[in-house]
């Protein structure tokens, strides 16, 4: 039973447009949500996070939105660039600062020039 | 600063052989995680350690898998005997528990192929 779901395995976007990656979760005890980016043959790298007490966090071209009532979060990339092409993993933390992360299966983003 | 270091990067072995994957965490990071990535299941947590102590190993698939962390600078994940279905990329990740964000630092992974 997946607690963190990324229902779109892939997404294709034109350069300069907005990319929206979605993530749903089932456990209301998650207290932190993170997005990771992964290039082929490399480990995932941290991109942006949001606490469960907030509904938005922005870092440059990347914005994460959290809708707790819907148990949904999304990552917006504006404007998208070809270098953003990668697999994006949504992750949720439970157990507080001593807990661990549960990851979704990932969404492969392709940004076309 | 060196990141999380994993070895080997690639391992090809035959069914039934023992496989040992190694991880050196970032200095000062007191939690270490082993993840497995497959196309079907994505990133699965196998086991994690806090201060060298195993906390949750419920993700370890079966008794063929074992993990140790004898000290703060080294961990191993062992599969004995290996099977073709163990083929995957295995990631080690670490974090410093004083940081509240839960941000993990991943190694580059060990790609295992069991023939």
């Amino acid at each position: 039973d997946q607690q963190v779901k990324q229902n779109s395995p892939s997404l294709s976007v034109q350069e300069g447009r907005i990319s929206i990656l979605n993530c749903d979760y089932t456990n209301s005890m998650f207290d932190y949500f993170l997005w990771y980016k992964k290039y082929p043959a490399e480990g995932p790298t941290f991109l942006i996070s949001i606490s469960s007490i907030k509904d938005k966090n922005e870092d440059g071209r990347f914005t994460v939105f959290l809708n707790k009532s819907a148990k949904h979060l999304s990552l917006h990339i504006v404007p998208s660039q070809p270098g953003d092409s990668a697999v994006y993993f949504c992750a949720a933390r439970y157990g507080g600062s001593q807990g661990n992360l549960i990851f979704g299966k990932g969404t492969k983003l392709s940004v076309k020039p | 600063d060196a990141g999380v270091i994993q070895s080997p990067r690639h391992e090809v072995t035959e069914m039934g052989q023992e496989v040992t994957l190694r991880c050196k965490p970032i200095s000062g990071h007191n939690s270490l995680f082993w993840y497995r990535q497959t196309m079907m299941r994505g990133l699965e947590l196998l086991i994690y350690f806090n201060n060298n102590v195993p906390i949750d190993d419920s993700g370890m698939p079966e008794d063929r898998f074992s993990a140790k962390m004898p000290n703060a600078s080294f961990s191993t994940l062992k599969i004995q005997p290996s099977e073709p279905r163990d083929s995957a990329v295995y990631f080690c990740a670490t974090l410093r528990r004083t940081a509240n964000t839960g941000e993990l630092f991943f190694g580059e992974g060990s790609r295992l192929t069991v023939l």
Side-chain angles (χ1 to χ4, degrees), chain B residues 30-49:
Chain B
N30 52 0
S31 287
L32 183 143
F33 301 73
W34 283 100
Y35 284 89
R36 176 171 70 175
Q37 185 191 13
T38 60
M39 289 294 292
M40 290 296 294
R41 302 175 72 88
L43 270 170
E44 299 175 271
L45 177 66
L46 300 177
I47 184 171
Y48 78 97
F49 299 82

Side-chain angles (χ1 to χ4, degrees), chain A residues 8-15 17-21 80 85 107-113:
Chain A
S8 298
S10 62
L11 175 68
S12 183
V13 172
Q14 205 66 34
E15 180 179 5
R17 305 296 291 269
I18 185 171
S19 296
I20 300 177
L21 296 101
S80 303
S85 297
T107 297
K108 183 176 182 179
L109 173 66
S110 299
V111 180
K112 301 188 183 306

Side-chain angles (χ1 to χ4, degrees), chain B residues 10-20 79 81-84 86-87 111-115:
Chain B
H10 302 274
E11 174 91 6
V12 180
T13 189
E14 292 188 345
M15 182 172 63
Q17 296 297 306
E18 177 180 297
V19 173
T20 299
I79 309 172
S82 58
E83 296 182 3
D86 301 330
S87 298
R111 180 176 292 277
L112 173 65
T113 302
V114 183
L115 303 174

Side-chain angles (χ1 to χ4, degrees), chain A residues 3-112:
Chain A
Q3 296 190 61
V4 178
K5 297 180 183 180
Q6 294 177 257
N7 292 319
S8 298
S10 62
L11 175 68
S12 183
V13 172
Q14 205 66 34
E15 180 179 5
R17 305 296 291 269
I18 185 171
S19 296
I20 300 177
L21 296 101
N22 294 304
C23 179
D24 296 297
Y25 63 95
T26 58
N27 191 338
S28 58
M29 298 302 291
F30 290 141
D31 68 335
Y32 235 97
F33 302 90
L34 304 90
W35 285 93
Y36 283 77
K37 177 177 174 180
K38 184 183 179 305
Y39 292 118
E42 295 184 10
T45 55
F46 170 75
L47 187 58
I48 191 170
S49 65
I50 186 168
S51 165
S52 60
I53 63 173
K54 295 188 176 182
D55 55 19
K56 178 182 175 181
N57 187 28
E58 191 172 354
D59 183 3
R61 297 186 297 113
F62 303 90
T63 302
V64 57
F65 295 92
L66 176 62
N67 182 334
K68 285 187 68 176
S69 61
K71 294 191 175 67
H72 177 83
L73 68 157
S74 60
L75 174 68
H76 292 210
I77 307 174
V78 183
S80 303
Q81 299 173 354
D84 297 329
S85 297
V87 177
Y88 290 79
F89 289 97
C90 168
R93 188 181 79 171
Y94 73 90
S97 62
Q98 298 301 309
N100 68 66
L101 296 184
I102 296 178
F103 284 83
K105 289 188 177 181
T107 297
K108 183 176 182 179
L109 173 66
S110 299
V111 180
K112 301 188 183 306

Side-chain angles (χ1 to χ4, degrees), chain B residues 38-89:
Chain B
T38 60
M39 289 294 292
M40 290 296 294
R41 302 175 72 88
L43 270 170
E44 299 175 271
L45 177 66
L46 300 177
I47 184 171
Y48 78 97
F49 299 82
N50 284 348
N51 298 312
N52 314 337
V53 176
I55 301 301
D56 183 355
D57 65 354
S58 60
M60 297 285 260
E62 46 198 273
D63 291 346
R64 298 184 297 106
F65 285 69
S66 62
K68 294 182 180 180
M69 192 165 185
N71 56 61
S73 57
F74 184 65
S75 177
T76 59
L77 177 67
K78 187 174 291 187
I79 309 172
Q80 165 64 17
S82 58
E83 296 182 3
R85 60 192 167 123
D86 301 330
S87 298
V89 181

